[in-house]
Amino acid sequence: MGDYSARATQIADTNTSTVSDSTNATSNLDNVVPIVPNGAGSLAGGTTEANNRWQYYNFVAVAPGYGITRFRVKNLGPGEVRNITIHLPTNYASATQGATVTTDAPATGTNVTPANLIDDNEGTSNTQSCTPTATCLAPVNTRLVVIQLANVPARGIEINRLGVSAIFNSRFVGLRSFDAYTCKAGKVAANPTCDGSIDAGWTKIITGPVDSFPGANPRPGTQDESLRYFTSSPQPLATHVKFVATNNQCTGQPSFQGDQDLDPNNNAERRTGIRRSEVPTAEIEVFATKPTADGTLVSTG
């Protein structure tokens, strides 16, 4: 319940064999969630806002192979039983579906492997970075991964949107902006396998805003870096997606640049050394359609 998947405790599921992993959990999870009723609500002075937050409960639904979906439930009355039907679209970038990922650089650090990018879980991360040596200081905007999509016909699929999460424990090097490209295997002779290092055959489908994952002083927050959705345009038939980082929080936000303190023994500038080539990303999801909750399209902004 709420807006977050990572760093949150699961409250319900449709698997009768699972048990909550929260502290002192003793009971099996089920698909029933008892909560306090809500209603239209009023603002100060007695005025009512059509979309004020008191009308809704926010939820996050997650399924292996189908990614992460946010949805709202409105105006729950006292004693009411509300059955919610959620239709989750296929996540073609999910390892559960059979997707695979390759990267231009080895993963570094703890719990950072390329497979974490396609595990339907924004609580795990991959760091696109060179091995920290003096000769490996490639800038952030050369870091890339290529995902071979799963369960797509030979003709490819039209990608509607990407879901991307930048959550990471070191927020200043987390992903801030990116571009995305698609390729169809066998379509272009100069790049029949959709090799990410070859420009031929790739079509840009998303030019990420410079603040795709916004952050400002004193530091980026979880609300800035959690899962966001980005619409594809155009939508050519594709079998592969190339995800290219363009900035991390420090290289892309001027207010984070330069020495941030008055300590003469510590230079907090993070655009030098290995940090200028480090850009963690938690999750990349690829969808051809949008989810629905009770037959209504779910907001994916």
Side-chain angles (χ1 to χ4, degrees):
M1 181 182 294
D3 296 322
Y4 301 113
S5 172
R7 304 172 188 169
T9 299
Q10 182 178 335
I11 61 170
D13 71 7
T14 57
N15 184 342
T16 58
S17 66
T18 58
V19 176
S20 172
D21 59 2
S22 61
T23 302
N24 297 323
T26 59
S27 60
N28 191 66
L29 291 176
D30 56 28
N31 60 356
V32 176
V33 183
I35 57 178
V36 175
N38 61 4
S42 297
L43 302 178
T47 59
T48 299
E49 182 185 17
N51 279 321
N52 80 71
R53 57 182 175 154
W54 310 114
Q55 295 182 357
Y56 298 92
Y57 277 106
N58 292 348
F59 293 89
V60 179
V62 183
Y66 299 89
I68 301 168
T69 291
R70 295 192 182 102
F71 65 98
R72 283 178 161 184
V73 178
K74 183 178 180 180
N75 292 345
L76 291 168
E80 178 185 1
V81 175
R82 183 82 63 90
N83 295 314
I84 307 297
T85 301
I86 308 163
H87 292 276
L88 303 179
T90 297
N91 173 16
Y92 291 96
S94 171
T96 299
Q97 298 282 2
T100 58
V101 59
T102 56
T103 174
D104 71 322
T108 60
T110 303
N111 193 30
V112 284
T113 67
N116 287 342
L117 290 170
I118 57 172
D119 62 356
D120 301 287
N121 181 1
E122 66 171 339
T124 58
S125 300
N126 178 64
T127 301
Q128 285 305 104
S129 172
C130 297
T131 302
T133 66
T135 59
C136 187
L137 296 176
V140 166
N141 62 4
T142 64
R143 304 273 63 87
L144 65 88
V145 297
V146 173
I147 301 171
Q148 182 173 345
L149 305 178
N151 295 329
V152 300
R155 64 184 293 271
I157 61 165
E158 295 178 352
I159 295 171
N160 174 271
R161 64 193 175 101
L162 267 59
V164 182
S165 175
I167 285 182
F168 192 65
N169 54 7
S170 180
R171 299 181 183 182
F172 289 100
V173 293
L175 178 72
R176 184 175 178 89
S177 59
F178 70 93
D179 294 331
Y181 303 77
T182 60
C183 172
K184 179 183 174 183
K187 181 178 180 180
V188 176
N191 189 9
T193 62
C194 295
D195 186 325
S197 64
I198 300 174
D199 290 338
W202 292 100
T203 299
K204 181 182 280 190
I205 60 168
I206 294 174
T207 300
V210 295
D211 60 348
S212 299
F213 294 90
N217 290 89
R219 65 174 183 170
T222 301
Q223 73 279 4
D224 300 320
E225 299 184 331
S226 62
L227 190 83
R228 291 169 179 253
Y229 300 95
F230 301 86
T231 301
S232 168
S233 180
Q235 298 181 4
L237 292 169
T239 58
H240 294 70
V241 168
K242 179 166 68 172
F243 182 91
V244 182
T246 55
N247 275 300
N248 64 22
Q249 286 289 343
C250 189
T251 64
Q253 169 57 283
S255 68
F256 295 151
Q257 297 169 3
D259 195 351
Q260 298 288 310
D261 58 42
L262 299 178
D263 183 353
N265 297 314
N266 177 56
N267 184 353
E269 171 62 72
R270 302 180 73 89
R271 291 175 296 165
T272 59
I274 188 60
R275 294 300 190 184
R276 70 185 285 264
S277 69
E278 187 176 1
V279 55
T281 305
E283 181 73 5
I284 302 172
E285 300 179 351
V286 175
F287 303 99
T289 58
K290 293 183 177 179
T292 63
D294 278 355
T296 301
L297 281 176
V298 174
S299 172
T300 55

